[in-house]
Amino acid sequence: MVLSTAMKPSKYLFSCRRIHHHHHFPSVMTINANLSSSQSQILSIRESLLSRQVSATQIVESYLTRFSLTEPHLHSFLHFCDDSILKQQAQDLDDKIQKGEENLGPLAGVLVGVKDNICTADMPSTAGSRILQNYRPPFDASVVRRIRELGGIVCTVNPWDLSRVPGGSSGGSAAAVSARQCTVSLGSDTGGSVRQPASFCGVVGFKPTYGRVSRYGLMAYASSLDVIGCFSTSVVDSAILLHAISGHDPLDATSSKRGVPDFTSHISSINIMHSKPLKGLRVGLISETMKDGVDYGVKSAITAAASHLQDLGCIISEVSLPSFSLGLPAYYILASSESSSNLARYDGVRYGNQALSTELNALYEDSRAKGFGSEVKMRILMGAYALSAGYYDAYYKRAQQVRTLIRRSFSAALDNNDILISPAAPSAAYKIGEKKNDPLAMYAGDIMTVNVNLAGLPALVVPCGFVEGGPTVLPVGLQMIGAAFEEDKLLKVGHIFEQTLQGCSFVPPLVATALS
Amino acid sequence: MASSLFRNFQTYPLLLSPSALFRRNNGVLFCTLNSTTQTATQEKQPSVQTKVSPQSKVKTVDKLLKDYEAIIGIETHVQLSTLTKAFCGCPYNYGAQPNTTICPICMGLPGTLPVLNSKVIEFAVKLGLALNCKLSLSSKFDRKQYFYPDLPKGYQISQFDIPIATGGYVDLDLPVEFGGGHRKFGITRVHMEEDAGKLLHSGNGSYSQVDLNRAGVPLLEIVSEPDMRSGIEAAEYAAELQRVVRFLGVSNGNMQEGSLRCDVNVSIRPLGQVEFGTKVEIKNLNSFAAINRAIDFEISRQVHLHSQGQGDSIIQETRLWEEGAQRTVTMRKKEGLADYRYFPEPDLPGVLLTEEYVDSIRTSLPELPEMKRRRYEDMGLSMQDVLFLANDKNVAEFFDATVAKGADMKLAANWIMGDIAAYINNEKVSINDIKLKPEELAELIASIKGGTISGKIGKEILFELIAKGGTVKGVIKEKDLVQITDPAEIEKMVDKVVSENPKQLEQYRAGKTKLQGFFAGQVMKASKGKANPVLLNKILQEKLNAKN
Ligand SMILES: [Zn+2]
């Protein structure tokens, strides 16, 4: 068949810009002066830039060097699509500093890794998948635009592969932060794909409340569950990054119009803490997350974390969420249903790979057959089935009812507790391919996180301990779940927890070697 | 990226070449009638047309029609004239160069999200109220999923189980020339949705291209109850919807541009039968006349088949109206119900209306066609006049404005329906395009009534004002057109004419009395048409008969 380009794209207009103005983010961002740069990479970068100890160019170069040292061992999938783009951003910043412009954005000089299912205008978002090969978005996601406006240097991370499992799909973003290939990074969390990799990689992972951060520019998987989240090596850095990207966006009708508090202002510096900084904080340990099927080592680490919180003054109690086990099937039905719809646009007609075909249906079938991996195809089939006439009530509708139950039971538990805690995953990191032939086991790995997405709540994962595994130990993360839009509370608790945890280094040994 | 936007691909050959399909399907149809000669007769016309000569067919069908009842329902899509599309900031201009009013959102690029244009809700509420519907204070959007190249997201944002408005009706009056009569047709529902793009097929059908200018343009779909029984009723229902959307200002209602699109469902059943017959859908109806004729054709076709014992040949299908051939032909068969896998649109919050909002729109509604018609009727106008004046929003406004300026209602109607309408028709313009202002028409009418000018002069002034504008008084003054009503002045002119034409006077007095017309003409000419004709004739007659 003939492919013609008779309609010249020169007439192509992005007329929407005429109407859609700017993201209504807070225009000024301040950072709590009590925080010390030893607790935050972002703050330490800022300090050294302002004191002119180092230039932004030097910072970027050091990241590039570290990248070349660590990437061959780690395969964190961080890809600097073009070093010159990063160096240019750094140079612009240095020029600004040179001219004496004190008005540096709070993310100045911060290298922000962005998972490449989040659109970036100057870099290809091939999304690692055949169906989007050579695709270059013509716009920045709202969060990316905001990061740039605040001085951040953006690079893309982790080819999001439609042929791969989305659970854990932000692994590259987590690994890149863990390996200090970038300062902080953004991932997406549909069912735990920020929190699980954070737990596996020993970094901080934050999934904000649904609606807190604009999804405009995030390639949708399951629209009612997808949230953009942060990875960092400290809770303070997550707080700074989250604050930068939060707030209502006129381009996302599901983004909340609630005001954004300064997430860092609740975070106190370690030296002004008293002995029981979390005195009276009611913490509920979700009993369903500490039962059979959860690794012994994980349970021990969480129990230890709970007693550490108790030492900090928290009142720990067990809380039962009766609908907890229903979360997994409900999640898989809803996520598959929505993704079967969201992935329909990858049809090869307008962008991405188009199969050669002489007939329309064959064009669709071939483009999609070649473009999607088998796991994604399975999800699309499951989702289409759950939405079909005659099955809708039994699957999709019922799953929505379960979702309401889950929301209610979380809400009740959070009426009696300030935060809830649980493991971030039932086990430490498993090898790639380990669960390939056992999809149910793989899905079961999401049990700790999917309920939180169904309820739309914010959750923070902080490294809390290790389990034995392989040649070395593997990190375990503690998940803290808060009430909707109470990110500040989670960040405060997480920061104190992190700063008071003694004798734990979550820098991977390999990275530590490369760094020294 | 832009270079990969414009792809070509082959569409269903079925859709590209309806005539090929027509042959094939009529072949099938024919086969059911003449199963023994299947292959040989594939290419022939269907038996409906081959077996009976046109004249005798008309007679037969007319006779048959009396034994049947047609059931007609209409789905109408109205394109809203909002400044921007439903979910992005792009404008829409009919006829624009392909793909010039598009953006990442209406192109459905990955990562983009819809944000509802609040005007869409306002227009939906307006129409819902105008159609006497019950509004859903809490409705939502759903995704209707199917694959087609003009649908960039792979789904259409629409409303499924909770439409914004339900259970209304329209009132209308059938045209007098079609027998007249008042009708009330039920409205099942009105819902909001977005339009799809357009496919442009190459001349030889070897490839197609996508134009996404129309993608995301807001639509209201109006579903009627199956209350109509004939082509004219259906056409008038559609015309009334057009009037309503135009009166409300929510759409230009233009059928040729596709701003108002009607899909008609037709079935028939023998009189007295309770259950409905098989429903056939007709598309490609680009005018009210087409709706009327297509339905009547389809009713005849179905009645004929049914009466021949071929009721089974009426199948659930979509048929296309061929304007040239004045017939419907098979477009595609409906195999079971399409499963669109509807589910609530997760990218958009629910649509919540407050009573106050609805009330504020209700009180701001303009006078609607039905209200106008009843008002004009109450004013004492004939139904013919009522329909003429109320059917066109601009004409009605002109009429109302003229009457509001104190003009005699009947005379205003006559001027508008007579000379003004004639001018508009000849020049193919709208009443808004003429330079005559309603207040001047009122002035003109008053001037004639008050005797300042004659009716004849009035007509001249009217055309002057239509073409050039200005005021009645100005034209009268400028051209010195005030009617001469002073008997002495007229008498002077009569005397002069009579004395200048002794020969004619003699003939008149000899009995050739029809020469009075000649004298009257001469006097009128002398007065430059300004003499009051009644006075003129009275005085003239006195003079002519004076010495008898
Ligand atoms: Zn647009």
Side-chain angles (χ1 to χ4, degrees), chain A residues 15-16, chain B residues 85 88-90 101-107 215:
Chain A
S15 330
C16 70
Chain B
K85 294 185 184 180
C88 66
C90 293
T101 52
I102 56 173
C103 74
I105 298 169
C106 55
M107 289 168 70

Side-chain angles (χ1 to χ4, degrees), chain A residues 29-49 59 63 106-111 177 180 182-184 204 231-242 264 267-270 495 498-499:
Chain A
M29 218 184 115
T30 51
I31 291 167
N32 186 350
N34 289 326
L35 291 169
S36 91
S37 58
S38 64
Q39 298 160 15
S40 156
Q41 287 193 64
I42 294 179
L43 291 179
S44 106
I45 286 170
R46 187 178 182 77
E47 232 176 61
S48 35
L49 274 181
I59 293 171
Y63 275 112
L107 296 179
V110 175
L111 198 61
V177 166
R180 276 55 172 178
C182 54
T183 325
V184 287
V204 173
F231 294 101
S232 63
T233 53
S234 68
V235 174
V236 173
D237 282 353
S238 271
I240 296 172
L241 182 58
L242 181 67
T264 61
I267 297 179
S268 17
S269 188
I270 187 82
H495 174 71
E498 165 198 87
Q499 295 299 317

